[in-house]
Structure formats: C-alpha cells, structure tokens
C-alpha cells in the first residue's frame, strides 16, 4: 500500500469511496446477531487510527465492549437521558420522537467507544494553540474513518449520542482527562436503508446544498457559475 501512495485512484476506487460516503447510514434497527470477525474489526480500528489529527496528537483510544453487563449499564443511562430528551417535544412531535428507535446497544454484537485523551501530546501541541478543541475535532475524524470503512465492509454503525457523558465515563472507568466522544454500536445488518432513517420517518430532510455554499463571505452568491450549476445537479 505504501508503494502505491502516489498512484492515482482508479475509477472503480473513486466510485467505491463515494458509494461508501453516500450509502453510509446511522443504523439502529437492522442489526444482526452475527459476530464481526476479529480481523475485520481490527481493520476498522486501524482505519480510524489513520485519521488526520492536529499536531499528529492522535488523541483517540478504542474500547471494544462485548460484555452484556456493561452494555446493560449503558442502556440504562440511555433510557434515563432519552426520557429527559422526550420532554423537549410536545404533542405529535413527542409521539414521533418516542416512536423512533435511537440505539442498538444490546442488539448489535459489539459496542465501541472512541475516546479523546485531552492531555495527549502534552501541554503544547503543534497547531492547537488557538483552538483547544482540535483534539475533539480530530477524534471525530477517526469516527468518520471507521464509519466509512465499516460501510465498505458491509457493517452498520450507530452513534448513540443520548448519554450522560459523566455516567458513561464512570461506567467505562475512564481516567479524568479522557472524554467518551462517541459510543458506537457495530454489526452486520439485514439491510442498509435507501435513505437516512430520520429522513424516511419524516423527522428531518436533507438540506439543499445550494443553500449551504457561499462565495468568499457569508451570504454571498458563488461567483463561479460552473460550480454554481454543478451544485444544482
């Protein structure tokens, strides 16, 4: 692979990358009980470990969780927080919210917590002087790497974000400086939905890209006519 680092991507390779991006899904309801082979899981974690990071700090660690007891504790944290979250909505919106399945903690064969060690790299990390949160941003890139690699492997990933981070950190026995950035459910699935589940169930739709691209400064139209037309396709 290292010998090919300067080789252009073939059309098939480019197509595969874009396919993984566009067909990636946040999976909650379609998990199968089949275990993920160790070599496949290792490839996913290695892909995450090759994410870019500011100052090459590599602030991530990976906690593979197959213990049912631990996952039941995490599920309890989710249920407590999910009940609180439901209170943010009223009427039909709340009813729709309660109908959504927002986790696959026990249904997936393995959970993976990707953490961010906020002390990794020492006091002065190159490139982190002005934006302290770059360690968190870098760890998010590791999550995305793993997610795309998982899609290419036919493995679904679901990010459980409705969790009390302090309780989760205590459950996973994390050191004080380590933040549990992403709690993920991983597993093979019965299907990948043709569109994101929240979109399919009418919660939100994808925003038009033409409304999100600005030219030079905020709110100004894109001067490049060719780019403007391409964004409409």
């Amino acid at each position: 692979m290292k010998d090919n680092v300067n080789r252009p991507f073939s059309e098939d390779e480019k197509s595969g990358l874009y396919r993984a991006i566009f067909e990636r899904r946040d999976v909650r309801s379609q998990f199968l009980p089949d275990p993920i082979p160790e070599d496949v899981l290792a490839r996913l974690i290695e892909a995450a470990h090759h994410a870019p990071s500011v100052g090459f700090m590599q602030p991530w660690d990976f906690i593979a969780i197959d213990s049912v007891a631990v996952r039941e504790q995490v599920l309890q944290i989710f249920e407590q927080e999910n009940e609180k979250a439901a209170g943010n909505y009223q009427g039909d919106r709340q009813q729709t919210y309660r109908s959504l399945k927002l986790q696959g903690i026990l249904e997936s064969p393995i959970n993976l917590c990707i953490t961010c060690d906020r002390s990794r790299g020492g006091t002065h990390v190159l490139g982190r002087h002005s934006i302290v949160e770059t360690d968190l941003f870098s760890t998010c890139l590791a999550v995305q790497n793993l997610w795309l690699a998982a899609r290419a492997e036919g493995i679904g990933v679901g990010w459980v974000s409705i969790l009390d981070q302090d309780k989760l950190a205590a459950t996973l026995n994390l050191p004080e400086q380590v933040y549990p950035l992403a709690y993920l459910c991983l597993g093979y699935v019965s299907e990948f939905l043709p569109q994101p589940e929240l979109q399919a169930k009418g919660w939100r739709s994808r925003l038009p890209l033409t409304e999100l691209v600005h030219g030079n400064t905020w709110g100004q139209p894109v001067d490049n006519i060719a780019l403007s037309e391409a964004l409409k396709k």
Side-chain angles (χ1 to χ4, degrees), residues 14-25:
K14 287 189 284 187
S15 177
L17 173 60
Y18 282 107
R19 181 185 170 195
I21 292 171
F22 293 130
E23 295 184 10
R24 182 209 58 80
R25 295 289 179 265

Side-chain angles (χ1 to χ4, degrees), residues 142-178:
V143 176
Q144 180 76 337
N145 265 22
L146 181 139
W147 215 327
L148 294 178
R151 181 62 189 89
E153 297 277 4
I155 292 171
V157 177
W159 187 331
V160 184
S161 60
I162 307 173
L163 292 170
D164 182 295
Q165 298 300 81
D166 291 334
K167 292 180 180 177
L168 179 60
T171 298
L172 301 181
N173 197 30
L174 301 184
E176 183 178 357
Q177 78 280 7
V178 175

Side-chain angles (χ1 to χ4, degrees), residues 61-73:
D61 283 86
F62 307 91
I63 304 177
I65 306 162
D66 57 9
S67 165
V68 174
V70 173
R71 288 190 281 163
E72 285 177 340
Q73 293 179 61

Side-chain angles (χ1 to χ4, degrees), residues 82-102 203:
N82 193 48
E83 186 60 31
K84 295 177 186 177
N88 293 325
Y89 310 101
Q90 303 296 325
D92 291 344
R93 194 66 165 170
Q94 185 182 90
Q95 185 175 354
T96 300
Y97 179 86
R98 291 186 181 278
S99 72
L100 298 172
K101 182 168 176 53
L102 301 177
W203 188 260

Side-chain angles (χ1 to χ4, degrees), residues 15-77:
S15 177
L17 173 60
Y18 282 107
R19 181 185 170 195
I21 292 171
F22 293 130
E23 295 184 10
R24 182 209 58 80
R25 295 289 179 265
D26 194 352
V27 176
R28 304 178 179 95
S29 306
Q30 296 82 34
F31 285 113
L32 298 173
D34 311 53
I36 300 174
E38 284 76 7
D39 60 327
V40 176
L41 183 58
R43 283 202 298 270
L44 302 185
I45 294 174
E46 184 177 17
H49 185 47
H50 278 72
S53 61
V54 172
F56 205 41
M57 70 176 97
Q58 306 161 77
W60 43 72
D61 283 86
F62 307 91
I63 304 177
I65 306 162
D66 57 9
S67 165
V68 174
V70 173
R71 288 190 281 163
E72 285 177 340
Q73 293 179 61
V74 176
L75 178 60
Q76 185 175 22
I77 297 171

